[in-house]
Amino acid sequence: MNFDFDDDHRELQRAARALLDDRCTLRDVRSVFEGPAPFDADLWDAGAAMGWMGLAVPEADGGLGLGYLELCLVAEELGRALAPIPLSSSVYLGIEALLLAGSPDQRARYLPRLAAGELIATLAVQERRDRVAGFDLQTRFEDGRLHGVKAPVPDGECAGLAVVVANGGSTLALVELDGEGVRREPLASLDPSRSLARLHFDGAAAEVLGADGDGRHLLDRLYDRAAVLFAFEQLGGAQRCLDLAVGYAKERYTFGRPIGSYQAVKHKLADVFVAVELARSNAYYGAWALSTGSDELAIAACLARISATEAFQAAAEEGLHVHGGIGFTWEHDAHLFLRRARLLAVELGAARRWKRTLVHRLAARP
Amino acid sequence: MDLDDTPEEATFRAEARAWLEGEVEPLAPGEAPAAISEFEDPDEIERSRAWQARKAEAGWACFTWPVEYGGRGGTSTQRSIFAQEEARFRIPPDVFTAGIGMAGPTLLAHGSDEQKRRWLPGMARGEQIWCQLFSEPGAGSDLAALRTAAIRDGDEWVVDGQKLWSSAANLADWGLLLVRTDPDVGKHAGLTYLLVDMRSPGIDARPIRQITGGANFNEVFLTGVRVPDANRLGEVGGGWSVALTTLMNERSSLGAGGTGGALGVRALIALAAATHDERGPLLGDDAVCEAIADCYVRSKGVVYTSWRTQTAMSRGVPPGPEVSIAKLVAGRMRQDMMALALDLQDLFGAVVASDPAADHLPWDHGYLFAPAARIGGGTDEVLRNIIGERALGLPPEPRVDKGLAFREIPTGR
Ligand SMILES: Cc1cc2nc3c(=O)[nH]c(=O)nc-3n(C[C@H](O)[C@H](O)[C@H](O)COP(=O)(O)OP(=O)(O)OC[C@H]3O[C@@H](n4cnc5c(N)ncnc54)[C@H](O)[C@@H]3O)c2cc1C
């Protein structure tokens, strides 16, 4: 048994961290956060030059053909850096949807550009505030045309291609967002370093992705894959929050001693450490299942997703708390993590949904 | 990353399985492994001894110990492969945790060659039951506050005092005994570590009834007990560092066994599927599902954390503070899981199972037993202190007893 990443994977991770340390400081994140651009285009290009978007894309489709283990570790670094780029939408969801269900022609048309970072993709699922993802969908796909409204769509502002869940979930439709019949409307995001939009489709040209009628099944499989990759982003974010809080707890004195020497603070941070370590272990299991194409992915994805969501949320909330009043200020970085943790917690559906799925999958196992 | 066995591991696993198949019955599908035992049945102890002896004879005991001391000179990976395989069979509960799990590693780390030869081979063969005589009425979490005193008399130590909560001391042949040999220095510096023959005159082990109704932990009175100096581990006054080795091993062996949690979750799902309310099976209830999922995620997290440790060890990296995680998480998880199982049955959850064997797991006993895992071997709070200070490097709390001789430390009584 070898339940860890190997040196060559770690090498790639180190290279990603070096680039992000240089090009994606929290000051850089903040300039996207407070500025008008939906993402950091320079960082995106630098990542593309490193091949990030094509890591798990086969060479025949224009990628590097490495694999998911590499992509997991890059995801961890992006999460650590709070990278303000649409990689999760484009790679974990867009590219994965095409790899899962794309026809040879669709793959040839889109994958090389997506893998090179020239095109950005996203997935559009939810429609209304009072209807959770995937339920009671009104968007229709008929005769090659798409009608309906999707919101909120992560990175819908900057994506050129969307996979749209239509016809009550039975159809996945592929639509180019720069064409006729598409209107984009930015939505204020709780995490402005990651943009959200409402997409209006008014007879936009679209095509089916995968077998028509198979949408729900495909979406489940897509979510399982993406869950592992998102989990690594969440893990990276959680670890960074913990590191920052521990650092502060050693420096900040009250009543003549460092706050980290008080048990109330020490035990809080110990609990966050435990949550992060469990999330790491569950994420590794997910990485193994994803990279080997194991049937275990159905369970492993749930474990990784639930654990990582809880760890990032706890680390962001308690990390901010440990900073006291300064942690509540706009100038301090704690809220950047809190916002990202919240966005990622709901992007593939809330933990509650994953927990139900997990138990029903376990119950269905022999 | 590769969860498959290496060719050598696969061969080893196949050999282990083949041997086990020739020796014991496999568990039936859905059958839970032996529940935690309070060893009140002498037959059970004999079965445990016989099984250990059989393993030792066939070379399947104490993998990582050197061959000359009754082990196999094998790897920790082999040890865990064998444990995984063994868990699929109907094996008796293990009465040797304090011996093989704690005394053995402590002897290996701190014993002289002569001491190792004297105790380890018999330990591996299940000839001795051991107990740990550390805690006292005034010294649990604050173990180094213990008062049981040993005074040197020629080649012997004369021990007087009282120990408490000593598991299996009433059955044990040998005890790991931590004593104070110098009250005039700081509390950690005055401790010495002895191995005591539990049949020595002056030892009186009295079982204490526990909340489960069982009685396998004890108060142990030591009155003028003579222990040869040859039974001392480590230096006079150097007992604390020897004790830390025991405690480390205790925590890792208590925290392991993560498969128990996952098996329990399977049984919990079966219980939720078979129990109905007016809206149908409780497995359809979201709150129930979420609570079950919380248990499963934690129990798997603990198992996979141990795989990471295993991998690190096979690469030559010693285990780190994650060893404390397993016990902390698994203890709480078991308590939550047992409470949930009882909740699912509404008022019937307050009825003691008349036939535990007919139930999937004896949930009521499990619920009453669960607090033990959060207290014994270091409480949740002590483990959080260890994680905070050793894993995260946070500063220790100021100590009022620092720099004081043991005699001068306030006790509150
Ligand atoms: C089933 C069982 C088996 C056992 N077997 C053995 C055995 O074989 N041999 C042996 O020597 N001992 C044994 N013990 C004893 C066990 O190690 C102690 O009970 C344990 O270390 C706690 O000590 P205590 O009982 O004195 O509680 P205390 O130390 O008095 O603790 C009481 C409460 O105060 C908290 N507390 C104490 N100190 C701190 C602190 N610094 N910070 C925050 N909170 C604190 C504790 O967490 C706990 O909640 C066993 C205990 C149990 C329950």
Side-chain angles (χ1 to χ4, degrees):
Chain A
M1 185 180 74
N2 169 14
F3 192 55
D4 197 359
F5 293 87
D6 295 328
D7 285 345
D8 42 338
H9 306 135
R10 295 290 182 198
E11 196 47 57
L12 196 101
Q13 179 177 27
R14 273 190 289 275
R17 182 175 299 195
L19 177 82
L20 289 161
D21 280 349
D22 185 31
R23 305 285 287 270
C24 184
T25 62
L26 290 174
R27 188 182 301 230
D28 297 319
V29 176
R30 197 176 274 275
S31 69
V32 175
F33 186 92
E34 291 178 337
F39 71 107
D40 183 340
D42 289 342
L43 181 64
W44 180 260
D45 291 344
M50 305 257 297
W52 288 346
M53 297 88 190
L55 286 173
V57 177
E59 282 178 279
D61 293 303
L64 294 181
L66 288 173
Y68 289 102
L69 295 180
E70 288 80 358
L71 186 55
C72 285
L73 292 181
V74 169
E76 186 179 348
E77 291 310 314
L78 294 175
R80 213 188 131 75
L82 293 182
I85 52 175
L87 193 124
S88 54
S89 295
S90 198
V91 177
Y92 316 160
L93 294 165
I95 287 181
E96 284 306 312
L98 282 158
L99 287 175
L100 197 59
S103 67
D105 170 54
Q106 288 166 337
R107 290 171 74 119
R109 251 187 295 146
Y110 297 120
L111 281 176
R113 286 162 63 207
L114 288 168
E118 294 158 19
L119 177 67
I120 293 166
T122 189
L123 174 74
V125 186
Q126 197 168 356
E127 299 181 352
R128 294 165 49 171
R129 182 182 293 277
D130 59 356
R131 298 285 188 273
V132 294
F135 168 65
D136 193 21
L137 299 177
Q138 300 299 312
T139 299
R140 312 298 316 161
F141 169 78
E142 270 158 6
D143 304 327
R145 300 278 159 193
L146 199 60
H147 297 269
V149 181
K150 286 285 177 187
V153 180
D155 304 304
E157 240 183 298
C158 57
L161 182 71
V163 176
V164 176
V165 184
N167 298 349
S170 65
T171 307
L172 298 188
L174 206 51
V175 53
E176 293 190 16
L177 298 177
D178 293 322
E180 294 273 300
V182 182
R183 188 162 57 83
R184 309 172 196 246
E185 181 192 339
L187 294 176
S189 173
L190 187 70
D191 173 7
S193 67
R194 302 286 285 105
S195 77
L196 297 174
R198 177 176 283 122
L199 299 181
H200 301 260
F201 299 106
D202 188 11
E207 56 190 294
V208 173
L209 180 71
D212 206 357
D214 208 16
R216 210 162 274 283
H217 171 64
L218 284 176
L219 192 63
D220 276 351
R221 292 180 59 200
L222 179 60
Y223 267 29
D224 285 349
R225 293 181 181 212
V228 175
L229 298 162
F230 271 99
F232 274 88
E233 278 212 23
Q234 292 169 304
L235 181 63
Q239 182 70 55
R240 179 92 175 269
C241 288
L242 177 62
D243 293 346
L244 292 170
V246 166
Y248 190 72
K250 291 179 188 174
E251 276 165 18
R252 171 74 177 173
Y253 277 61
T254 65
F255 304 99
R257 47 192 262 221
I259 56 170
S261 71
Y262 293 102
Q263 269 190 359
V265 174
K266 183 177 294 169
H267 287 192
K268 191 189 282 303
L269 292 173
D271 284 341
V272 172
F273 172 80
V274 168
V276 172
E277 287 303 304
L278 291 193
R280 185 178 299 283
S281 302
N282 282 319
Y284 279 23
Y285 188 62
W288 165 80
L290 179 63
S291 67
T292 55
S294 165
D295 289 344
E296 279 293 300
L297 182 62
I299 301 294
C302 299
L303 290 171
R305 171 73 184 166
I306 295 164
S307 238
T309 300
E310 291 179 349
F312 196 7
Q313 172 142 341
E317 290 175 357
E318 302 310 324
L320 187 153
H321 183 80
V322 165
H323 283 85
I326 189 87
F328 192 67
T329 62
W330 187 264
E331 277 66 34
H332 196 273
D333 295 322
H335 69 121
L336 305 183
F337 289 93
L338 189 72
R339 290 163 187 274
R340 181 64 61 84
R342 202 79 291 287
L343 178 69
L344 295 183
V346 289
E347 207 177 321
L348 293 178
R352 150 181 60 84
R353 297 160 63 82
W354 288 89
K355 289 180 183 178
R356 259 186 289 161
T357 303
L358 170 62
V359 172
H360 289 124
R361 286 176 177 178
L362 283 173
R365 282 216 300 211
Chain B
M1 193 169 293
D2 184 1
L3 298 189
D4 292 336
D5 290 333
T6 62
E8 303 83 68
E9 287 163 3
T11 310
F12 178 83
R13 189 185 294 279
E15 280 171 22
R17 191 175 299 180
W19 183 78
L20 284 161
E21 276 163 359
E23 297 285 327
V24 256
E25 291 282 301
L27 291 173
E31 181 182 346
I36 293 159
S37 175
E38 288 161 292
F39 293 108
E40 300 200 280
D41 173 4
D43 289 349
E44 193 156 62
I45 297 167
E46 275 325 300
R47 283 203 303 279
S48 187
R49 269 190 201 279
W51 176 235
Q52 184 64 32
R54 185 73 198 94
K55 282 196 291 188
E57 192 186 323
W60 298 103
C62 306
F63 282 94
T64 55
W65 299 7
V67 181
E68 52 181 319
Y69 302 133
R72 186 173 169 128
T75 64
S76 61
T77 308
Q78 289 179 336
R79 179 178 57 194
S80 66
I81 290 176
F82 188 79
Q84 284 163 20
E85 291 302 318
E86 203 183 16
R88 302 148 57 103
F89 290 84
R90 201 175 281 161
I91 50 163
D94 181 9
V95 72
F96 300 106
T97 37
I100 293 170
M102 287 144 64
T106 309
L107 266 159
L108 281 167
H110 300 278
S112 64
D113 284 347
E114 198 188 322
Q115 289 173 324
K116 291 180 201 171
R117 268 196 300 277
R118 180 167 166 209
W119 279 290
L120 290 174
M123 198 185 281
R125 289 193 297 269
E127 286 165 13
Q128 318 139 10
I129 295 177
W130 285 71
C131 67
Q132 180 197 32
L133 304 169
F134 282 9
S135 304
E136 296 185 7
S141 303
D142 184 9
L143 177 58
L146 61 88
R147 311 192 148 260
T148 293
I151 294 171
R152 186 76 178 245
D153 180 19
D155 281 347
E156 293 181 325
W157 293 93
V158 181
V159 183
D160 282 282
Q162 185 199 341
K163 295 290 175 176
L164 198 56
W165 319 132
S166 319
S167 301
N170 53 329
L171 311 171
D173 306 292
W174 286 93
L176 303 170
L177 177 64
L178 195 57
V179 291
R180 183 159 308 281
T181 43
D182 186 354
D184 295 314
V185 294
K187 70 177 179 182
H188 293 95
L191 302 175
T192 299
Y193 197 116
L194 302 173
L195 306 181
V196 60
D197 182 342
M198 292 300 284
R199 313 270 185 265
S200 310
I203 297 191
D204 181 13
R206 301 180 194 162
I208 301 173
R209 200 164 151 92
Q210 304 167 187
I211 64 170
T212 52
N216 80 329
F217 66 177
N218 300 263
E219 52 185 343
V220 179
F221 296 89
L222 301 115
T223 319
V225 178
R226 303 191 81 87
V227 181
D229 188 54
N231 292 13
R232 171 167 50 81
L233 276 191
E235 301 297 313
V236 174
W240 183 246
S241 72
V242 186
L244 286 179
T245 305
T246 311
L247 294 174
M248 265 279 287
N249 282 285
E250 177 177 20
R251 278 161 203 155
S252 59
S253 62
L254 291 177
T259 49
L263 271 170
V265 171
R266 305 279 296 176
L268 196 56
I269 289 175
L271 180 67
T275 311
H276 289 64
D277 71 1
E278 63 280 9
R279 295 188 307 172
L282 294 181
L283 199 58
D285 185 290
D286 290 349
V288 170
C289 280
E290 284 175 41
I292 295 176
D294 285 334
C295 292
Y296 192 71
V297 170
R298 282 182 283 169
S299 74
K300 286 306 207 182
V302 168
V303 172
Y304 303 146
T305 301
S306 79
W307 291 4
R308 283 170 53 210
T309 309
Q310 194 68 55
T311 299
M313 281 166 70
S314 73
R315 293 176 179 178
V317 183
E322 71 277 2
V323 170
S324 298
I325 295 179
K327 184 175 127 51
L328 180 63
V329 176
R332 179 78 236 188
M333 188 279 294
R334 285 194 77 82
Q335 192 164 29
D336 291 348
M337 183 168 85
M338 298 297 165
L340 176 61
L342 297 185
D343 263 3
L344 289 179
Q345 306 168 59
D346 274 356
L347 189 53
F348 242 95
V351 176
V352 173
S354 54
D355 179 7
D359 265 347
H360 228 91
L361 278 181
W363 301 110
D364 48 71
H365 181 270
Y367 180 68
L368 292 179
F369 204 88
R374 298 183 51 205
I375 300 171
T379 62
D380 288 1
E381 289 69 31
V382 165
L383 294 181
R384 284 193 178 94
N385 282 348
I386 291 174
I387 291 171
E389 290 169 22
R390 308 225 185 111
L392 299 177
L394 293 168
E397 288 188 86
R399 298 235 151 90
V400 290
D401 54 7
K402 213 168 182 176
L404 294 184
F406 177 72
R407 274 186 204 292
E408 295 158 3
I409 295 172
T411 61
R413 282 193 200 186

